[in-house]
Amino acid sequence: MKAAFMTGHGGNEVIVVGERPTPQRQPGQVLVRMKAATVNRVDLYMRDSGAGITHALPQIMGVDGAGVIEQADDSALIGRRVTIYPGLVCGSCEFCARGEPVLCARMRLLGEHCDGTMAEYVCVPTENAFEIPDALDFAQGAALGVNYLTAWRMLFSKAKLQPGETVLVFGIGGGVSFAALQIAKAAGARVIVTSRSAEKANRARALGADAAIDAPADKIPAAVMELTAGRGVDVVIENIGGAMWSAALKCLVRGGRIATCGATIGDNPSADLRRVFIRQLQIFGSTLGNPDEFGQLIEWCAAGRIVPPIDVRYPLDQVREAFSHLEAGEQFGKIAIDF
């Protein structure tokens, strides 16, 4: 089968589009003929180093994806349009037993610890294949598996977002950030976004953001206080790190909540502990989500509350160009790979 795989680490030159063995379905699995995948920051990390993630080369890339079931134990599933939950869990550790498989002690992720979704065929456990709502195409369905699921868990399971609250989303245009904007607005929140791109800020306003801040990190807290009459925001969604972390803490109301899922510009910022305990701030680390959260997200999509925007589409042969597009930070919405 045709696939995009990495033969080493260190840039786009290690990515090859060529033939790999077709996976053989085992009992309890479905064989999915892939129709689309989307590109995520972790794909760049795996390409560049993959440090700290157990994997073997060559390895097929891609964490999320969508397609059509071609083989299954239950013949009624054949032909179903599905999106893939990318976590492979043990089902028996203490975390799986208590209903938090996203914390599984032996979790493996497609495209990180094992072959991923940028291939003509993928085998996954039957329970990892979720039906795509009719209103979404395959690329939109694929987009749900990482960024949207991560944003969903951050907002609801972690930060416990309530209608009428104010949310600050850093770095609009990125996958998780844009997903958080859409989900928070659909939940009835007021949403403020940040971006160093005036174009992205304007596009975010057009797509529902109540306000957009185009300012360096040290100017963002003052802008937020002006927009909230000196109060601050209830929830911050942050995935940038570095200097933005300190700015994010200064934007929160007393007792406010911040959820983080990334550190693209630095993972060792000032903790600002005095602010954390004096203002009784709550900090949540989060990534991905549970299968039941994925099901809830898909229900919202089926009801028309969320439609992931696709920024640009590339054929599989141009996967290197797709990675370069993401690396340049020019996207607004998801970058898709169409099969």
Side-chain angles (χ1 to χ4, degrees), residues 22-323:
T22 301
Q24 300 302 302
R25 188 185 74 86
Q26 302 299 314
Q29 294 183 331
V30 292
L31 177 70
V32 181
R33 184 179 183 91
M34 301 303 293
K35 297 294 187 180
T38 67
V39 182
N40 295 283
R41 281 282 165 188
V42 70
D43 295 316
L44 300 182
Y45 182 77
M46 293 303 298
R47 178 202 66 181
D48 293 340
S49 75
I53 298 175
T54 302
H55 62 285
L57 299 174
Q59 179 170 289
I60 297 171
M61 307 195 74
V63 184
D64 55 27
V68 177
I69 294 177
E70 286 209 349
Q71 297 178 15
D73 293 340
D74 182 355
S75 60
L77 298 178
I78 296 174
R80 181 170 292 182
R81 301 167 68 248
V82 295
T83 181
I84 292 175
Y85 175 75
L88 306 176
V89 304
C90 72
S92 59
C93 69
E94 64 172 292
F95 306 104
C96 288
R98 74 185 191 202
E100 282 273 45
V102 72
L103 300 178
C104 176
R106 293 182 285 277
M107 166 83 82
R108 293 184 302 138
L109 290 168
L110 301 178
E112 294 187 40
H113 304 92
C114 56
D115 283 341
T117 57
M118 293 184 184
E120 289 183 299
Y121 291 97
V122 172
C123 275
V124 294
T126 302
E127 59 269 22
N128 283 52
F130 286 73
E131 188 167 9
I132 300 173
D134 292 339
L136 302 186
D137 66 22
F138 287 109
Q140 291 168 327
L144 301 176
V146 176
N147 292 158
Y148 279 79
L149 178 54
T150 297
W152 181 278
R153 182 172 174 85
M154 292 172 79
L155 286 166
F156 296 134
S157 302
K158 296 292 186 175
K160 307 294 185 186
L161 178 66
Q162 299 298 313
E165 290 189 316
T166 301
V167 179
L168 174 63
V169 178
F170 278 82
I172 199 63
V176 172
S177 298
F178 191 85
L181 164 62
Q182 283 190 290
I183 294 169
K185 286 300 298 180
R190 179 192 184 200
V191 182
I192 302 169
V193 303
T194 77
S195 176
R196 294 311 311 274
S197 163
E199 179 186 357
K200 288 183 179 181
N202 289 333
R203 292 180 69 179
R205 290 188 192 95
L207 291 170
D210 295 280
I213 299 169
D214 176 7
D218 61 339
K219 304 296 184 184
I220 290 175
V224 167
M225 291 304 160
E226 182 177 354
L227 288 167
T228 60
R231 176 182 180 273
V233 302
D234 300 286
V235 174
V236 167
I237 299 298
E238 207 279 330
N239 58 17
I240 300 173
M244 290 298 179
W245 178 256
S246 178
L249 293 180
K250 293 174 183 176
C251 293
L252 284 165
V253 69
R254 291 176 178 270
R257 297 97 72 195
I258 180 169
T260 177
C261 70
T264 56
I265 67 169
D267 61 0
N268 193 28
S270 168
D272 202 359
L273 290 178
R274 290 189 188 90
R275 179 176 298 275
V276 171
F277 65 73
I278 289 172
R279 299 181 70 87
Q280 300 195 40
L281 305 180
Q282 302 175 67
I283 299 173
F284 300 97
S286 192
T287 188
L288 204 62
N290 285 316
D292 62 340
E293 293 166 324
F294 198 31
Q296 294 162 13
L297 166 63
I298 290 171
E299 287 179 4
W300 275 37
C301 294
R305 301 179 73 175
I306 302 170
V307 178
I310 303 301
D311 179 69
V312 63
R313 299 168 186 260
Y314 291 90
L316 183 61
D317 287 336
Q318 295 179 20
V319 66
R320 290 183 177 185
E321 289 84 347
F323 279 30

